[in-house]
Amino acid sequence: MPKGSNTPVPATALRVELGWSTGPGVPDADSSALLLVGGKVRSDGDFVFYNQPAHSSGAVRHEGKRNAGGQVTDTLLVDLARVEPAIETIVLAASADGGAFGQVPGLYIEVKDAAQGTSVARFDSTGATVETAFVLGEFYRRQGAWKFRAVGQGYSSGLEGLATDFGITVDEPQQAAAAAPPAPTVAHPVTAPPPMPPVTMPPPPAAPPAAPPAAAAQPVRLTKVTLTKASPSVSLAKQGGTSGAMRVNLNWEVRKQFSGWASKLGRPVAMHNDLDLDLCALYELTDGSKGVVQALGNAFGALHQPPFIHLDGDDRTGAVASGENLTINLDHKQLFRRILVFVTIYEGARSFADLHATVTLQPQYGAPIDFSLDECTVPSTVCALALITNTGSDLVVQREARYLVPERGVSPQRTVDYAYGWGMNWTPGRK
């Protein structure tokens, strides 16, 4: 589609993909959506992005990113049939993280039918220079039907500037108002007045009780946290993320297309087809109980009873939209002593050396925490990802990214148990 053109779209579930080519020196980018009435959001809840991934109506949801051979897509799901009648426009935007869009090759937005996978509309954005945010497209109503317009409007003020332009309140340091200078004082001679007779006055009527202050709307937080070797830990309390559900997502891609040995099948397999990574968690609660949450043995855990950790399922694709997801109920954080999140190669590869994996911890209330696994140099089939420790007043997330090599005859689970001193008894299991 050329810039400024429009096309009808079906009022059904649509997949909106923001895509670009990545490589050395290419900044990351993020998709977002704003639901507008009269050109503005009604509240900060009408902003859907990585820190606020779902609209309350269920009409828009941020699914996340996937990297396939250097082609990155960041996806939004939009169900136009569920959009509230008051909403007139859904703005579809992109923001650059760590650079400008002039450094991002092949930027485009594509609208697909979510059920069929067929393309409905596509706009390729070209000519970017210093812009750090873009409105790439928008859905809008016309005579009871929905249309998509290719926009291509750039901002040099990033996601913050774009969001505030549409009425979002962004969490940023506020400058303290300058105190008014005190009024000058001048000394004057004082003559005491003559004494007055005492007068008895009735007590003043009691003032009505003050109404409680209205709860201030919480501003939107745009921050993200990336853990590195230099900065390996973060406080969940400082990020405001110590309640609600925290989702741990693992997604991956194969850097080299070659065959590995699948231990269960006993024959060579195409690694990118049969690769199976398992996200797991060792836990220790304050009452001393210990255990593991994993697909092996169908030990999927539970979210609303001990251990308050639940594995959503077992995925073989690495797709961030589904993928391997572990959920931790932070409303019971006082019952956790420590949680070790780790990943094992169940089949399809001999080690992590040729895999690129990304871990994202997304608290319900707080900034997402992510890190990559890129530096495996040993024949490892198990990697300790993150250690979450209860310090008594806080939960601290520590990036481990520790590749372990099991000894002959020792399972990956037992290997990670030995390394972190969990002290559990292990028996063979199957999915």
Side-chain angles (χ1 to χ4, degrees):
M1 295 177 62
K3 182 176 178 178
S5 62
N6 62 75
T7 185
V9 293
T12 55
L14 300 171
R15 183 180 298 275
V16 179
E17 292 183 353
L18 160 71
W20 70 95
S21 298
T22 190
V26 176
D28 195 15
D30 298 288
S31 65
S32 57
L34 299 107
L35 290 76
L36 308 181
V37 178
K40 297 287 184 179
V41 297
R42 299 166 299 180
S43 71
D44 291 347
D46 286 339
F47 185 26
V48 177
F49 70 120
Y50 50 79
N51 270 3
Q52 195 164 263
H55 192 260
S56 59
S57 67
V60 183
R61 185 171 78 248
H62 180 253
E63 283 209 319
K65 292 180 187 147
R66 185 163 187 192
N67 187 330
Q71 183 64 37
V72 183
T73 54
D74 194 11
T75 303
L76 295 161
L77 278 184
V78 180
D79 189 348
L80 294 176
R82 300 179 67 178
V83 176
E84 298 156 296
I87 299 297
E88 302 162 349
T89 308
I90 302 175
V91 166
L92 305 166
S95 55
D97 184 8
F101 276 109
Q103 304 165 268
V104 180
L107 180 67
Y108 71 89
I109 184 170
E110 186 169 12
V111 180
K112 296 181 177 180
D113 185 303
Q116 303 297 325
T118 54
S119 181
V120 175
R122 175 173 170 135
F123 169 56
D124 290 273
S125 180
T126 59
T129 54
V130 298
E131 296 86 355
T132 50
F134 261 102
V135 174
L136 292 174
E138 63 181 16
F139 295 119
Y140 65 98
R141 296 184 197 259
R142 278 294 181 271
Q143 299 177 342
W146 284 98
K147 290 188 173 185
F148 172 78
R149 177 186 289 119
V151 179
Q153 177 186 350
Y155 290 73
S156 59
S157 49
L159 182 60
E160 180 180 333
L162 183 148
T164 53
D165 197 42
F166 288 102
I168 296 294
T169 304
V170 175
D171 183 9
E172 58 181 340
Q174 299 295 318
Q175 297 295 326
T185 57
V186 180
H188 296 281
V190 177
T191 303
M196 297 291 291
V199 178
T200 302
M201 300 291 292
Q218 294 298 314
V220 170
R221 303 182 65 180
L222 304 182
T223 53
K224 292 193 289 184
V225 178
T226 298
L227 299 183
T228 63
K229 288 181 179 179
S231 301
S233 64
V234 64
S235 158
L236 286 182
K238 290 181 180 178
Q239 297 298 321
T242 53
S243 63
M246 180 169 71
R247 189 182 73 165
V248 182
N249 174 265
L250 173 72
N251 70 90
W252 62 88
E253 63 171 313
V254 180
R255 287 202 297 249
K256 294 181 180 179
Q257 302 297 328
F258 66 93
S259 293
W261 190 265
S263 58
K264 283 204 312 180
L265 302 179
R267 57 180 175 83
V269 295
M271 184 170 164
H272 61 284
N273 289 329
D274 287 17
L275 177 65
D276 186 6
L277 303 186
D278 284 344
L279 186 63
C280 315
L282 284 169
Y283 64 83
E284 181 180 2
L285 304 183
T286 53
D287 64 2
S289 58
K290 301 176 182 179
V292 65
V293 175
Q294 61 178 3
L296 199 66
N298 295 320
F300 289 97
L303 197 59
H304 301 291
Q305 63 187 39
F308 307 107
I309 305 169
H310 182 252
L311 180 66
D312 294 358
D314 183 28
D315 181 69
R316 289 170 176 253
T317 66
V320 68
S322 53
E324 291 275 323
N325 291 297
L326 189 76
T327 305
I328 301 172
N329 190 342
L330 297 181
D331 289 337
H332 298 277
K333 59 183 179 293
Q334 73 280 2
L335 301 179
F336 297 130
R337 181 170 292 163
R338 57 177 178 159
I339 301 169
L340 180 68
V341 181
F342 66 99
V343 58
T344 67
I345 298 177
Y346 187 67
E347 65 179 21
R350 292 179 175 176
S351 81
F352 287 100
D354 291 287
L355 306 179
H356 170 78
T358 302
V359 182
T360 303
L361 291 81
Q362 175 65 73
Q364 187 172 345
Y365 308 105
I369 302 162
D370 61 28
F371 57 90
S372 296
L373 305 175
D374 275 332
E375 62 277 354
C376 181
T377 57
V378 294
S380 168
T381 56
V382 57
C383 178
L385 300 177
L387 182 64
I388 304 170
T389 306
N390 188 342
T391 66
S393 59
D394 193 5
L395 290 178
V396 175
V397 178
Q398 172 80 25
R399 176 188 187 270
E400 296 292 305
R402 182 179 175 188
Y403 297 97
L404 303 171
V405 181
E407 297 180 1
R408 181 179 295 274
V410 179
S411 70
Q413 290 84 352
R414 191 186 298 266
T415 299
V416 78
D417 180 320
Y418 288 170
Y420 286 85
W422 233 265
M424 292 173 54
N425 295 319
W426 296 91
T427 57
R430 296 180 63 87
K431 291 187 184 181

